[in-house]
Amino acid sequence: MATAHSGLHTEINKKRLRCTLHTLLLSLVLVLPATAPAAAQGDSPAQDEVRQVLVPREVFVGDRAELRCTFQSQMDFAALADPSRVKDGAIQLNTHADAFTRHAGDYTVELAVLQQAGTTCTLIITFVPWKTGQLHFEACDLPALCGAAEHAEPFLIHFSPVEISSLTEKLSVSAVRPPAPPLLLPGTSYALWICIVVFLLLLVATGILLAKFSALVRCATAIRESAGYYWNARSARRKLFALGRKKSTDVQFAEQWQATMRAYLAYRFGVPFSSATAKGIAPLIRRVTGNMLDIEQENAVSSLTSLFIRTDYIRFAGGSIDSRMLPAAEHEAVFTPGERNSIIALSCQVIAALESSAKEGVPV
């Protein structure tokens, strides 16, 4: 009886063990499919899981285009990226990496940006193609392009080929056309011709000026000298008139008159007259002019000599024996009534006669 009871107990234990094993196997079957996707969340997406769009749809050689790739990932790329590359929620990828520069002859990548909103990621590549047909982009390791550390787990994005259209095929053109002339605004051609004519006129005028440069220099010099002579004569006359109105002694009048006339003669003939004696004034003027004075000018020089002799007598003969000789009107060292005005008038006539030598070509 005890033996039968023991066998029954053993059989029950075996059944319990088989039920437990079945339960464990069923749990493994249910758990493994659920945990497999979770383990694969950090892996790179397959190429068919990446939605790729080309903007614009039709791109020609030399156009700027965007390749937009959207995929799902739970990897936090912003946390892996170098902080200097994160700007306004977008990650600036390294466009100098081999993945972007290996086919530089086919296309040029100008900008690469990765945007992430939750588990949805968008990779935007701005590029310029340089050949027609299919362009093949290299697979990109996003953590490396973000500037992540070297031990970061790789996350590769694979691209589908991109088709670049041919403009010649679209326009059915078999030969390259010659370049079209530039478009001109209305009136531009007239303005251009006017500029050309003005330039030629300026060129001709410059040539004429260069050819006659020496003559122009001489003419300008003559004009400057004539102007100088004119203002010198005018200044001398004004000083003489002012001297006539000024109250001064006879000696002071004679000294100031000689100073005015000597300054005028020095500028007019270009030689100093300050040390010339009264009788040496005329010979000095004749020597400077080469003895080419006309009769009127000779008379003027003679009158000038007489005026210098008279004013010298007034200056130096006062109180001398000669000044006491008779008749007193001729030998007294004072001016007679009205003699000052006569000296000023005669001096102005001398200046006018000497200035006429420049008009008549008399050398000075």
Side-chain angles (χ1 to χ4, degrees):
M1 186 73 177
T3 303
H5 181 73
S6 176
L8 180 61
H9 188 269
T10 302
E11 186 67 23
I12 291 172
N13 289 335
K14 288 181 179 181
K15 289 181 178 181
R16 287 179 178 177
L17 180 60
R18 283 196 297 270
C19 290
T20 302
L21 292 175
H22 282 295
T23 302
L24 291 175
L25 291 175
L26 181 61
S27 299
L28 289 174
V29 171
L30 294 176
V31 170
L32 284 177
T35 57
Q41 286 177 356
D43 296 340
S44 303
Q47 188 167 357
D48 56 357
E49 297 177 355
V50 178
R51 295 191 300 274
Q52 179 174 305
V53 178
L54 182 63
V55 180
R57 292 184 178 181
E58 191 172 24
V59 180
F60 301 96
V61 173
D63 291 345
R64 182 175 282 103
E66 288 186 358
L67 182 62
R68 296 174 175 264
C69 300
T70 304
F71 55 91
Q72 300 294 322
S73 174
Q74 297 199 13
M75 181 179 290
D76 190 356
F77 293 101
L80 295 174
D82 186 346
S84 62
R85 294 186 176 276
V86 181
K87 186 176 181 181
D88 298 332
I91 305 172
Q92 307 287 334
L93 304 183
N94 181 17
T95 56
H96 299 289
D98 290 342
F100 292 141
T101 61
R102 188 171 293 119
H103 300 285
D106 297 341
Y107 56 85
T108 298
V109 176
E110 296 182 344
L111 182 66
V113 178
L114 178 62
Q115 299 173 349
Q116 187 171 14
T119 60
T120 302
C121 302
T122 303
L123 174 61
I124 303 174
I125 299 176
T126 304
F127 69 99
V128 178
W130 302 119
K131 74 170 189 176
T132 59
Q134 287 190 347
L135 295 184
H136 297 273
F137 286 82
E138 293 285 335
C140 295
D141 183 7
L142 294 184
L145 296 177
C146 291
E150 296 182 357
H151 61 273
E153 183 180 357
F155 190 95
L156 297 177
I157 294 295
H158 299 273
F159 302 95
S160 300
V162 175
E163 188 70 26
I164 304 301
S165 304
S166 173
L167 189 60
T168 57
E169 293 180 358
K170 181 178 180 179
L171 299 177
S172 300
V173 177
S174 58
V176 179
R177 296 179 181 178
L183 297 177
L184 297 177
L185 296 176
T188 304
S189 57
Y190 297 104
L192 182 61
W193 279 111
I194 291 174
C195 291
I196 293 174
V197 171
V198 171
F199 175 76
L200 292 177
L201 292 176
L202 290 176
L203 192 63
V204 172
T206 303
I208 294 174
L209 289 176
L210 292 176
K212 297 185 177 181
F213 180 75
S214 58
L216 291 174
V217 170
R218 289 194 298 271
C219 181
T221 303
I223 293 174
R224 186 179 69 253
E225 291 179 351
S226 298
Y229 294 150
Y230 169 79
W231 289 107
N232 178 52
R234 182 178 180 182
S235 175
R237 285 192 291 265
R238 293 180 63 182
K239 289 180 180 179
L240 290 173
F241 291 141
L243 181 59
R245 295 189 298 269
K246 184 178 180 181
K247 293 182 179 181
S248 59
T249 64
D250 291 342
V251 174
Q252 292 174 343
F253 178 89
E255 290 177 349
Q256 293 177 13
W257 178 88
Q258 284 202 10
T260 300
M261 294 304 296
R262 288 180 187 274
Y264 162 75
L265 294 172
Y267 186 91
R268 180 63 185 82
F269 296 104
V271 293
F273 280 80
S274 58
S275 60
T277 63
K279 293 183 179 181
I281 295 291
L284 183 56
I285 293 176
R286 293 188 182 97
R287 180 172 59 84
V288 173
T289 59
N291 292 321
M292 296 185 65
L293 299 177
D294 56 22
I295 296 177
E296 182 182 358
Q297 294 163 352
E298 283 285 355
N299 294 333
V301 171
S302 299
S303 299
L304 184 62
T305 301
S306 300
L307 293 176
F308 268 98
I309 293 174
R310 175 61 176 162
T311 52
D312 272 350
Y313 185 79
I314 298 297
R315 292 174 61 194
F316 303 114
S320 64
I321 297 176
D322 292 340
S323 64
R324 296 187 180 93
M325 295 176 62
L326 298 175
E330 296 181 3
H331 296 88
E332 191 176 7
V334 294
F335 289 120
T336 59
E339 188 176 4
R340 290 188 181 189
N341 293 333
S342 299
I343 291 175
I344 293 174
L346 187 57
S347 300
C348 291
Q349 293 177 7
V350 170
I351 291 173
L354 294 178
E355 290 301 316
S356 65
S357 62
K359 300 178 181 178
E360 298 174 359
V362 176
V364 296

